[in-house]
């Protein structure tokens, strides 16, 4: 241990600093809502607890996902998982009151919002949090969700990057419409604005044709931190060109390293300086005093997450058929998927582009391991990336980041709101000892804490 | 008679030269601390609620065009987010941000206000506001509404009325209706967490609202469980019959701007008639008088302040609401006299922040209390509670259990 501390001090000079985010679990099968320790999914105290815990652990940011319609199965509201969540922006604004340093990042949909309104909300959040706002830009093309909106759901699937790209470009133009020094507020001279045209903007594209004056002065970060997800070549280019951080779906080191290199190369080709795009997979963890204990806990959690009923439903998302007649403890359904039929499950992201291929792979996997329907579902849908003692988990996280599998992780727990406590109490001090995680915040904005350059006005 | 009392927060106050006053904080307008301090001051005076002004356009004296003035405050933060930001720092006071109903999505606004109600433990309100036409180009989705100049306009300061005035407010009424339906789309006891049947919710207690109107359709249910108040408090500001009708049909608070007691009597009578016509005679609808206030320890001091402020502005200070200049005791007498007309409370618009806000909480409130007209402690934890509004039954509720909570 003594030698480790000494090494750590030297390491601190050269070690890559791990970025940590936390997402509050909710509307999915990962969240164990029936656990005796499980708390409210809507009370502000839940969000406050997780955010304060993350800040105690010197995390970079708190992250909220979004879903704009309650999910349905066979035309009925899905009642198996957590249902319901608060609106993202008001919760993040309220969290700004009970935290000082933590970034506040929300997923907000570019299809069912308009740039003027959303850009001012994000700029307002950035002002009200002293520069801690972040935005995960997503688009949706599903008409099901569109039924909740006056806009409807008419975005063509192929237009989603056009929409996202134009939306982001319009938002950036709005954020740049007020110079940083626009407000003089000189009482004696009677000059409030340096220039009477502050906030003037115009943007014209295929999706938007807008002009006028923006209401909100330039915020502390100039532009909030932009996060995106993208796996296809188009998505990768889009994210590498416009995002400050990218969600990575890869958890195997070799795949992750390849994605990491690819994104950095694409970013460089688009003229972005090295290190300006951070790569962050999401991950979950289960800890124990010994590896065996952690593994036993993980098995127990996975079986509670993927009950027989849940296993059927998870597989329905690929088969697109009602599988409630298939014994969860029996073999995989022998029937073929029906991707062209009316959707069995609606209101959740499409995870599998080619259901026939996925089913073939799963059948092979189940046959090779002699897995039941439920065991296959547990394997596919209930992976826990970090299982072990705090030291083992700290080593694996550190190793993954130092070897450029990613720049950090966005962590979630199956237990809301107290699941993160254990990680912060036991793993965080070890990462700090290794010199890979800050012991105090050094920046005042999310952008500074993430170590990404400011966006200067274009 | 006890009054309901609110303050309207906007920028550095309602006088265009307010930002030049010594204690004004024009360079902090866009910080959380500024708003937290103001709302804390209002709460220290035990006020019912604060409103926070907003619009999807920059401040402008004209509803149809922006100006290029540099001598007045310009710029605003999103009011719903300001209210959310101060919610954890306050305990009792109601938080009533403005949110626009033109261009915006009822689904978004409904869930934002529901969430404000959750993060404030039942203190959310919402002032539903029709957008000025200059916001149209910011959205670009609809043809600009044509406006007609009204008699009595002065050059440079036109009084305008949209040609489809009634339509704009009919859309607003649909918007409020859809938002209210969404608030009820979850019954209070919809979340059951029944491990035995693996059901988190009882789906029979979640409801599609299937709202279809001329301007939009919304299916629902909301993604946000029913707010703590059941229905957060809805407010409108109204100056004419068409908006009075919106308030009487849809709102809990109708903010009005009577010139004097006679005008107040006429407005109250009209709103009450419209309330009956809307079939809401059994419901509590507060008619709240708006007054811009400029206070001083003496009448002369208040008038000096007014003269100083007016002297720093090239246009005479006028407002849609009456402007009171005088002492807190005089204002208390005026409010009590106006309350005789049937107004149930007042929303005071401080001419200067924090000066006139502090005069309200520290001078006016004690004057009213001395006259037995204002509370000496908060007696409820929700805004509906402060306003004497019962927690409404859920219109979709099928069980007495769901309705009674």
């Amino acid at each position: 241990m003594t030698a480790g501390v000494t090494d750590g001090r030297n390491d601190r000079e050269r070690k890559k600093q791990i970025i940590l985010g936390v997402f509050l679990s909710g509307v999915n099968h990962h969240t164990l809502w029936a656990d005796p320790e499980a708390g409210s999914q809507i009370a502000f105290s839940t969000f406050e607890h997780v955010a304060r815990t993350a800040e105690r652990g010197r995390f970079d940011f708190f992250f909220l996902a979004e879903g704009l319609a309650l999910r349905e199965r066979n035309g009925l509201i899905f009642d198996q998982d957590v249902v319901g969540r608060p609106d993202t922006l008001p919760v993040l604004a309220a969290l700004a009151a009970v935290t000082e340093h933590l970034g506040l990042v929300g997923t907000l949909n570019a299809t069912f919002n308009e740039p003027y309104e959303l850009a001012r909300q994000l700029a307002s959040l950035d002002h009200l949090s002293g520069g801690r706002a972040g935005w995960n830009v997503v688009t949706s093309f599903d008409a099901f969700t569109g039924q909740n909106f006056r806009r409807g759901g008419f975005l063509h699937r192929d237009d989603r990057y056009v929409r996202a790209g134009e939306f982001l470009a319009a938002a950036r133009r709005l954020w740049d419409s007020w110079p940083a020094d626009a407000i003089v507020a000189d009482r004696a001279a009677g000059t409030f604005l340096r220039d009477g045209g502050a906030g003037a903007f115009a943007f014209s594209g295929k999706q938007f044709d807008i002009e006028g004056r923006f209401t909100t002065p330039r915020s502390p970060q100039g532009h909030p931190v932009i996060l995106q997800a993208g796996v296809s070549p188009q998505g990768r280019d889009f994210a590498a060109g416009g995002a400050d951080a990218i969600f990575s779906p890869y958890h195997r080191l070799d795949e992750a390293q390849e994605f990491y290199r690819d994104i950095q190369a694409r970013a460089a080709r688009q003229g972005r300086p090295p290190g300006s795009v951070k790569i962050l997979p999401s991950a979950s963890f289960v800890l124990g005093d010994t590896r065996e204990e952690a593994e036993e806990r993980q098995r127990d959690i996975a079986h509670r997450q993927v009950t027989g009923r849940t296993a059927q439903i998870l597989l329905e998302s690929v088969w697109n058929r009602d599988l409630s007649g298939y014994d969860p403890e029996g073999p995989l359904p022998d029937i073929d998927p029906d991707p062209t039929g009316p959707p069995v499950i609606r209101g959740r992201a499409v995870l599998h582009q080619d259901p026939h291929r996925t089913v073939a792979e799963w059948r092979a996997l189940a046959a090779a391991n002699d897995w039941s329907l439920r065991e296959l579902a547990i394997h596919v849908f209930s992976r826990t990336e970090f299982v072990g003692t705090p030291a083992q988990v700290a080593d694996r996280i550190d190793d993954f980041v130092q070897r450029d599998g990613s720049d950090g992780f966005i962590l979630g727990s199956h237990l809301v709101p107290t699941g993160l406590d254990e990680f912060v109490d036991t793993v965080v001090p070890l990462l700090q000892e290794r010199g890979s995680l800050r012991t105090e915040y050094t920046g005042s904005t999310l952008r500074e804490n993430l170590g990404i350059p400011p966006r200067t006005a274009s | 008679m006890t009054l309901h009392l609110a303050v309207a927060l906007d920028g550095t106050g309602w006088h265009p030269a307010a930002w030049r006053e010594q204690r004004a904080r024009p360079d902090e307008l866009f910080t959380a601390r500024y708003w937290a301090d103001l709302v804390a001051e209002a709460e220290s005076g035990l006020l019912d609620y604060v409103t926070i002004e907003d619009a999807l356009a920059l401040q402008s004296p004209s509803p149809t065009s922006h100006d290029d003035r540099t001598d007045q405050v310009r710029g605003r933060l999103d009011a719903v987010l300001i209210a959310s930001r101060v919610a954890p720092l306050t305990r009792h006071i109601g938080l009533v941000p403005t949110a626009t109903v033109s261009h915006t999505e009822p689904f978004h606004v409904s869930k934002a206000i529901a969430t404000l109600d959750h993060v404030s433990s039942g203190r959310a309100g919402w002032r539903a506001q029709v957008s000025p036409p200059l916001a149209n180009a910011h959205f670009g989705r609809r043809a600009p509404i044509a406006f007609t100049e009204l008699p009595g306009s002065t050059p440079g300061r036109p009084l305008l009325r949209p040609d489809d005035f009634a339509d704009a407010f009919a859309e607003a009424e649909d918007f409020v209706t859809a938002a209210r339906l969404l608030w009820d789309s979850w019954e209070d006891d919809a979340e059951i967490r029944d491990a035995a049947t693996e059901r988190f919710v009882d789906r029979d207690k979640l409801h599609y609202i299937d709202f279809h109107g001329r301007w939009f359709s919304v299916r629902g249910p909301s993604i946000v469980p029913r707010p703590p108040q059941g229905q957060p408090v809805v407010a409108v500001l109204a100056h004419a019959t068409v908006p009075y009708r919106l308030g009487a049909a849809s709102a809990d608070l109708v903010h009005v701007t009577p010139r004097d007691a006679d005008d107040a009597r006429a407005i109250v009578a009209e709103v009450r008639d419209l309330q009956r016509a809307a079939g809401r005679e059994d419901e509590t609808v507060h008619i709240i008088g708006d007054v811009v206030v400029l206070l001083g320890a003496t009448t002369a001091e208040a008038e000096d302040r007014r003269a100083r402020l007016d002297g720093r502005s090239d246009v005479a200070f006028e407002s849609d609401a009456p402007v009171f200049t005088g002492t807190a005791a005089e204002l208390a007498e005026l409010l009590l006299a106006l309350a005789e007309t049937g107004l149930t409370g007042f929303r005071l618009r401080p001419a200067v922040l924090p000066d006139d806000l502090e005069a309200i909480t520290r001078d006016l409130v004690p004057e009213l209390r001395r006259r037995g007209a204002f509370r000496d402690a908060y007696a409820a934890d929700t805004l509906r509670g402060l306003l004497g509004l019962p927690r409404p039954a859920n219109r979709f509720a099928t069980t007495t259990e769901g309705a009674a909570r």
Side-chain angles (χ1 to χ4, degrees), chain A residues 62 93 119 126 129 150 170 176 212 276 322 339-340 352 382 403 435 446 453:
Chain A
F62 175 94
D126 204 45
S129 63
R150 66 161 90 206
D176 286 342
S276 47
D322 185 336
T340 56
H352 305 276
S382 196
R403 293 169 70 182
L446 173 56

Side-chain angles (χ1 to χ4, degrees), chain A residues 50 66 94 105 115 133 136 140 170 182 202 208 218 226 231 280-281 288 294 322 341 357 362 374 378 381 452 454:
Chain A
V50 175
E66 185 183 58
V105 181
N136 176 34
S140 169
F208 307 106
R218 193 171 181 83
I226 302 296
V231 179
L280 303 170
D322 185 336
R357 206 182 74 189
W362 287 358
R374 184 178 176 200
I378 287 173
F381 291 100
I452 49 179

Side-chain angles (χ1 to χ4, degrees), chain A residues 228-310:
Chain A
Q228 279 172 325
V231 179
S232 69
Q234 195 187 9
R236 289 183 187 206
D237 267 337
F238 182 62
D244 300 305
I246 300 179
F247 289 95
S248 159
Y250 300 107
H251 295 95
R252 236 179 56 198
L253 184 62
D254 55 344
E255 286 177 346
Q257 286 170 327
E258 193 189 320
F259 182 73
Y260 193 97
R261 280 191 300 269
D262 181 59
I263 294 294
Q264 299 303 346
R266 286 173 196 267
R269 278 202 295 278
Q270 298 188 56
R272 304 190 65 192
S276 47
V277 187
K278 303 301 180 189
I279 294 170
L280 303 170
S282 63
S284 55
F285 57 89
V286 173
L287 302 170
D289 290 338
T290 63
R291 182 187 293 276
E292 294 68 33
E293 187 193 315
E295 284 172 351
E296 182 51 39
R297 274 182 82 187
Q298 195 275 329
R299 267 190 299 277
D300 172 60
I301 290 163
H303 279 79
R304 287 193 286 154
Q305 287 172 327
V306 184
T307 63
R309 185 88 195 86
T310 298

Side-chain angles (χ1 to χ4, degrees), chain A residues 48-76:
Chain A
E48 181 175 356
H49 181 91
V50 175
R52 283 185 188 272
T53 304
E55 189 161 85
R56 185 159 59 81
R58 305 295 181 258
F59 277 45
D60 291 85
F61 61 90
F62 175 94
F63 175 82
L64 276 184
E66 185 183 58
L68 293 172
L70 299 187
R71 294 183 295 164
E72 290 182 8
R73 177 179 173 277
N74 276 339
L76 294 172

